[in-house]
Amino acid sequence: MAVDYTVIVVYLAGMLAMGWWGMRRARSKSEFLVAGRRLGPAMYSGTMAAIVLGGASTIGGVGLGYRYGLSGAWMVFTIGLGLLALSVFFSARIARLKVYTVSEMLDLRYGGRAGVISGVVMWAYTLMLAVTSTIAYATIFDVLFDMNRTLAIVLGGSIVVAYSTLGGMWSITLTDMVQFVVKTVGVLLLLLPVAVVKAGGFSEMKAKLPTEYFDPLGIGGETIFTYVLIYTFGMLIGQDIWQRVFTARGDRTAKWGGTVAGTYCLVYAVAGAVIGTAAKVMYPELPSADTAFATIVKDELPVGVRGLVLAAALAAVMSTSSGALIACATVANNDIWSRLRGAVRRGTGDAHDEVRGNRVFILVMGVATIGTAIALNNVVEALTVAYNLLVAGLLVPILGGLLWKRGTAQGALASVAVGGLAVVALMAGYGILANEPVYYGLLLSLAAYVTVSLLTPATDAAVLAVWRARLAGRDTEPAAEPVPVHQ
């Protein structure tokens, strides 16, 4: 394992080095939080694909393939569909708004009254996303070093917190590009063909497995519908995803770069399911489907290659973890703390102070993430709660604000409150993992939004005029946050 260990150590050292390099570029709030809004198509596509394809998409995607066959691709596939929908229909408008958070968008659209409550919901979602990604380090480091769970979480989490705190979005962007390349090589170009060959090829796989393993809908229509509702719609409104859209250099980059990333996700989804199906042929009696990835890597890959593929799994986890961490810190600072203390968020104070403040919040949220990850046992339930709150609480007011001019601030607040409270109450009644809470919570959120909006005065014309101007790209960021030009 010495060669494999060397590969992993070099990879981790490289992540820290890029964090240090990114620190030199993060000189303003815009540079630190959204990489100066200057990413071109190649870098934007790579980083967007990296953040949405995390440990759940890699280790979990292979596990679903092990349990259900090719239809196990649906979870990751719906993530790709969500990214495609966001990129084609909404990303250009989102990028033109020149904001930093989803709550700022809601304030801009509804006249400054939806921020704190929507910020709390989004903060809870991003925190749980960061926590569940951090817990995944335990699985990978256990395979690598037979390491204690707590130590593995602290080690992996500390590296992500370190490079994220140092350089903000620039560090995360640079590390995500490396992670994207490592994932592509490790999973698509190495593990996928090796798994299929070791399983005897597709003909042997079909001969040894039940026919439902090759049924595209074998996982079940209700499960697929739930994946669409949670993951496809979740991609449309998550702060971690929007914050990457904000990094795009322009409308075309956001639209076409995101489309490339979404298409890549579809390919990655099928690859994970095929690897899991091959693992079922080779190891039909594994105690847990989620161990399929680690087992096939450990037993079937040669020295060196094994280290690279495990680095790919680590890359998948780190990219999602760092993206969720900076999103969580941005929401906590900009949407909650700044509002509660009555501070003016934009156009005041020097850039260094703003960078320092956001850096402190990343560090604090990082420590909280690691501590919560150590204490938490049920990852699936935590992530389900987060996505249910996000979709039921924020999907309707966000999409309503983008698509329906009659929506009002009162309607948005009612939608967030009713949807959020309803989904929590329904999870208590039906169970956290049940499908009904998000179904009914979303319907109640929609009903509250439409009803209250129609019963209250329309949004002020001046507010809508500013909103339309920003959507059209006729308004720019304040001069207090200059955007340096780099070749």
Side-chain angles (χ1 to χ4, degrees):
M1 292 287 286
V3 176
D4 296 326
Y5 292 161
T6 302
V7 171
I8 298 297
V9 170
V10 168
Y11 166 76
L12 294 176
M15 296 300 99
L16 291 174
M18 288 184 182
W20 184 263
W21 188 85
M23 182 175 65
R24 299 167 57 193
R25 303 192 68 164
R27 302 296 187 186
S28 69
K29 179 179 179 180
S30 177
E31 294 281 337
F32 190 82
L33 294 181
V34 290
R37 309 187 195 275
R38 293 187 286 119
L39 298 191
M43 188 167 282
Y44 178 84
S45 298
T47 58
M48 183 62 87
I51 188 176
V52 299
L53 296 174
S57 300
T58 303
I59 299 171
V62 172
L64 286 172
Y66 184 88
R67 291 178 62 191
Y68 301 106
L70 298 186
S71 66
W74 273 106
M75 184 187 77
V76 183
F77 204 83
T78 55
I79 290 173
L81 292 178
L83 186 52
L84 284 172
L86 175 71
S87 301
V88 173
F89 298 112
F90 299 109
S91 62
R93 283 184 283 179
I94 292 170
R96 287 195 292 264
L97 290 175
K98 303 294 185 185
V99 295
Y100 292 100
T101 68
V102 174
S103 294
E104 285 185 33
M105 167 264 168
L106 292 172
D107 274 357
L108 187 64
R109 167 61 180 82
Y110 294 112
R113 304 180 213 171
V116 173
I117 185 171
S118 62
V120 170
V121 174
M122 189 64 76
W123 174 79
Y125 158 74
T126 53
L127 178 65
M128 284 299 101
L129 187 61
V131 166
T132 52
S133 300
T134 302
I135 291 173
Y137 297 129
T139 301
I140 299 169
F141 283 114
D142 178 57
V143 175
L144 284 171
F145 308 115
D146 192 24
M147 187 179 290
N148 172 269
R149 177 183 184 274
T150 299
L151 183 59
I153 289 172
V154 171
L155 175 60
S158 296
I159 292 171
V160 170
V161 172
Y163 72 69
S164 301
T165 301
L166 285 171
M169 187 59 82
W170 268 122
S171 294
I172 293 170
T173 296
L174 295 170
T175 53
D176 275 1
M177 278 305 298
V178 175
Q179 289 158 357
F180 170 73
V181 173
V182 170
K183 276 193 288 193
T184 301
V185 174
V187 176
L188 298 185
L189 302 184
L190 293 177
L191 185 58
L192 175 61
V194 167
V196 172
V197 170
K198 292 283 187 179
F202 285 103
S203 58
E204 187 71 13
M205 290 161 63
K206 287 185 177 181
K208 290 187 175 181
L209 295 173
T211 54
E212 55 263 29
Y213 264 71
F214 302 92
D215 179 358
L217 303 179
I219 199 170
E222 184 179 355
T223 299
I224 294 171
F225 179 72
T226 303
Y227 284 158
V228 170
L229 198 61
I230 293 177
Y231 297 114
T232 301
F233 286 126
M235 287 295 106
L236 298 180
I237 58 175
Q239 169 67 25
D240 52 324
I241 309 302
W242 277 42
Q243 199 154 344
R244 294 309 172 97
V245 175
F246 300 152
T247 66
R249 187 164 59 198
D251 295 0
R252 289 179 60 84
T253 297
K255 182 174 182 178
W256 297 112
T259 301
V260 170
T263 305
Y264 177 90
C265 292
L266 304 184
V267 175
Y268 200 88
V270 176
V274 171
I275 293 168
T277 305
K280 184 67 175 179
V281 173
M282 290 183 278
Y283 311 99
E285 302 296 334
L286 287 178
S288 170
D290 286 339
T291 63
F293 179 90
T295 302
I296 196 171
V297 169
K298 194 172 183 178
D299 293 350
E300 304 298 336
L301 296 183
V303 172
V305 174
R306 180 171 51 203
L308 182 59
V309 173
L310 286 171
L314 199 57
V317 176
M318 284 187 161
S319 57
T320 300
S321 181
S322 59
L325 176 59
I326 194 172
C328 179
T330 303
V331 170
N333 188 14
N334 287 261
D335 296 334
I336 300 175
W337 173 246
S338 293
R339 294 167 193 263
L340 292 178
R341 68 174 183 167
V344 178
R345 300 189 309 280
R346 302 183 64 186
T348 62
D350 62 57
H352 177 72
D353 286 342
E354 289 194 318
V355 170
R356 183 174 60 188
N358 282 289
R359 188 172 278 141
V360 168
F361 266 87
I362 290 180
L363 181 60
V364 171
M365 290 298 106
V367 172
T369 296
I370 293 171
T372 307
I374 292 171
L376 200 62
N377 289 321
N378 198 317
V379 180
V380 175
E381 289 191 358
L383 196 58
T384 301
V385 170
Y387 268 103
N388 283 355
L389 277 172
L390 176 71
V391 172
L394 292 179
L395 178 66
V396 170
I398 291 172
L399 294 189
L402 289 168
L403 300 174
W404 190 41
K405 66 179 182 180
R406 185 61 181 82
T408 66
Q410 294 89 339
L413 288 171
S415 178
V416 175
V418 170
L421 292 174
V423 81
V424 170
L426 290 165
M427 282 190 292
Y430 283 98
I432 289 176
L433 299 180
N435 293 327
E436 289 84 357
V438 71
Y439 295 167
Y440 299 142
L442 190 55
L443 288 174
L444 290 170
S445 177
L446 177 61
Y449 181 71
V450 173
T451 302
V452 176
S453 291
L454 292 176
L455 292 175
T456 52
T459 304
D460 186 85
V463 172
L464 288 178
V466 173
W467 166 254
R468 285 192 290 267
R470 292 285 282 272
L471 275 180
R474 295 195 298 269
D475 197 12
T476 59
E477 289 188 284
E481 292 180 11
V483 178
V485 177
H486 296 276
Q487 298 298 324

